């Protein structure tokens, strides 16, 4: 599986792609600045694209849209994303923070597979964006290559999302060491070691205590080759009692991990348990339905996968890696 769709919304605002002047029929009338999540991108493969580079798109956006009212920004393709990292995008955002007093949400790296596989997206230290926007409520990043994050305190952030085929352990540790008193949703695509996903269960342990995340209600530890170990740890994790949504989808979950969930602390208080893309047997799936759906939990057991076998070895795969 790869990422094949751009974000359709951000911060409950529909995504609207900004096209620079000169785009002809592709541009159309501009919506009200506060009514959409603005998606900015530069297509280096389109000879007719009406901009010289991403910076040119950015300058056009600042000149034509009332940025004082903009509430959400989605940063898409910025050119050759496997050659140039997002550092200059971070600089554009931070150096122009005074022009975006109403900004509440930012997503960096809204690229799909035809533009760049997730592992090709070159990121950078994204912490300065949160530091420059202390009232930001939602922040997301796609791509783990070169990604760094530093521990910080942020009073207003409610949603934090890192999507990667391999999320560096340093990022996970920094999230665990951050003080995020307002955070309600944390979503980590942990990925696989082949693509830099080297987070350990020890790295995740502080998150599972929930001590620095008092407002957390939705936790996603997903897309992981450690999904069984994560499920076993979640089964006794203090943070789970406060959640309404638990997302362990997209990974290599087997009957062993599901049995740990079923034999651990009660999960019947959850509104939703997402286990989509899994390697569970029919019998265990039925147990999950009987014990949890019968108690009112919305359990997603879609995308039942079969492991690959080669020369006597069994291979299970996450949903998004390369």
């Amino acid at each position: 599986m790869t990422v094949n769709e751009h974000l359709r919304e951000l911060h409950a605002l529909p995504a609207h792609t900004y096209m620079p002047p000169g785009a002809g029929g592709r541009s159309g009338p501009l919506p009200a600045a506060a009514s959409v999540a603005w998606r900015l991108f530069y297509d280096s493969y389109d000879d007719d694209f009406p901009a010289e580079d991403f910076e040119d798109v950015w300058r056009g956006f600042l000149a034509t849209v009332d940025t004082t009212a903009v509430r959400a920004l989605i940063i898409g393709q910025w050119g050759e994303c496997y050659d140039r990292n997002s550092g200059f995008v971070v600089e554009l955002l931070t150096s122009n923070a005074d022009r975006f007093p109403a900004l509440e949400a930012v997503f960096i790296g809204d690229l799909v597979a035809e533009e760049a596989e997730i592992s090709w997206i070159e990121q950078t230290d994204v912490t300065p964006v949160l530091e420059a926007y202390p009232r930001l409520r939602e922040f997301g990043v796609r791509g783990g290559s070169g990604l760094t994050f530093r521990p910080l305190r942020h009073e207003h952030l409610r949603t934090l999302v890192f999507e990667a085929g391999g999320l560096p352990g340093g990022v996970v540790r920094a999230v665990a060491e951050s003080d995020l008193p307002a955070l309600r949703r944390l979503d980590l695509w942990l990925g696989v070691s082949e693509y830099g996903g080297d987070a350990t269960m020890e790295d995740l342990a502080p998150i599972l205590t929930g001590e620095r995340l008092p407002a957390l209600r939705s936790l996603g530890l997903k897309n992981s080759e450690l999904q069984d170990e994560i499920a076993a740890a979640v089964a006794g994790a203090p943070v789970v009692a406060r959640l309404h949504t638990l997302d362990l989808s997209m990974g290599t979950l087997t009957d062993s991990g599901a049995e740990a969930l079923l034999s651990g602390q009660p999960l019947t208080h959850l509104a939703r348990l997402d286990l989509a893309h899994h390697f569970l047997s029919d019998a265990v799936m039925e147990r999950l339905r009987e014990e949890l759906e019968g108690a009112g939990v919305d359990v997603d057991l879609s995308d039942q996968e079969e492991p690959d076998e080669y020369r006597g070895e069994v291979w299970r795969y996450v949903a998004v890696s390369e």
Side-chain angles (χ1 to χ4, degrees), residues 81-264:
C81 295
Y82 46 83
D83 285 335
R84 187 183 191 190
N85 70 33
S86 63
F88 79 100
V89 173
V90 171
E91 172 61 24
L92 290 175
L93 287 166
T94 57
S95 63
N96 288 278
D98 60 331
R99 303 190 65 163
F100 292 91
L103 193 63
E104 296 176 326
V106 173
F107 189 96
I108 301 175
D110 181 32
L111 284 86
V112 297
E114 65 182 28
E115 297 167 330
E117 296 289 355
I118 196 168
S119 64
W120 302 356
I121 304 171
E122 291 293 329
Q123 290 288 357
T124 187
D125 182 2
V126 296
T127 323
V129 178
L130 288 171
E131 294 172 334
Y133 294 91
R135 301 196 68 80
L136 207 66
R137 289 175 171 264
E138 184 169 349
F139 184 59
V141 178
R142 180 176 298 157
S145 181
L147 178 67
T148 60
F149 188 67
R150 291 178 279 108
L152 81 166
R153 181 175 179 86
H154 197 287
E155 299 288 346
H156 296 282
L157 194 67
R158 294 169 62 90
T159 297
L160 179 61
V161 176
F162 286 109
E163 300 179 356
L167 190 63
V171 174
V172 176
R173 290 189 292 273
V175 171
E177 294 168 12
S178 294
D179 289 311
L180 304 169
L183 196 73
R184 295 184 61 84
R185 176 190 169 199
L186 175 62
D187 206 355
L188 303 177
W189 295 21
L190 298 166
V192 299
S193 57
E194 182 179 358
Y195 291 102
D198 58 356
T200 66
M201 295 307 303
E202 184 178 357
D203 297 331
L204 293 170
I207 293 173
L208 294 175
T209 69
E211 291 178 1
R212 288 182 166 171
L213 302 169
L216 196 68
R217 297 297 179 266
S218 176
L219 176 61
L221 301 174
K222 53 199 288 189
N223 198 49
S224 176
E225 59 188 352
L226 302 177
Q227 211 69 63
D228 279 346
E229 292 93 326
I230 291 170
V234 162
V239 72
V240 173
R242 293 196 266 109
L243 301 179
H244 63 65
T245 299
L246 176 61
D247 188 345
L248 304 180
S249 67
M250 300 173 64
T252 59
L253 186 71
T254 70
D255 286 358
S256 173
E259 293 282 1
L261 288 174
L262 288 167
S263 61

Side-chain angles (χ1 to χ4, degrees), residues 1 222-224 227 247-254 274-280 300-306 316-320:
M1 175 181 168
K222 53 199 288 189
N223 198 49
S224 176
Q227 211 69 63
D247 188 345
L248 304 180
S249 67
M250 300 173 64
T252 59
L253 186 71
T254 70
D274 192 344
L275 303 178
H277 182 96
H278 57 81
F279 295 83
L280 303 179
D300 189 343
L301 291 168
S302 60
D303 298 330
Q304 181 185 28
E305 306 290 340
E306 293 290 338
R316 296 179 179 86
Y317 45 88
V318 302
V320 177

Side-chain angles (χ1 to χ4, degrees), residues 18-21 39-62 75-81 84-85 88-89 92:
Y18 168 78
M19 294 300 293
R39 181 176 183 271
L40 278 63
F41 82 107
Y42 167 67
D43 188 351
S44 59
Y45 298 104
D46 184 352
D47 293 337
D48 296 322
F49 195 80
E52 295 182 1
D53 49 32
F54 186 88
E55 290 93 329
D56 195 24
V57 174
W58 178 262
R59 287 190 292 269
F61 179 71
L62 295 185
I75 305 300
Q77 185 177 8
W78 53 79
E80 303 284 359
C81 295
R84 187 183 191 190
N85 70 33
F88 79 100
V89 173
L92 290 175

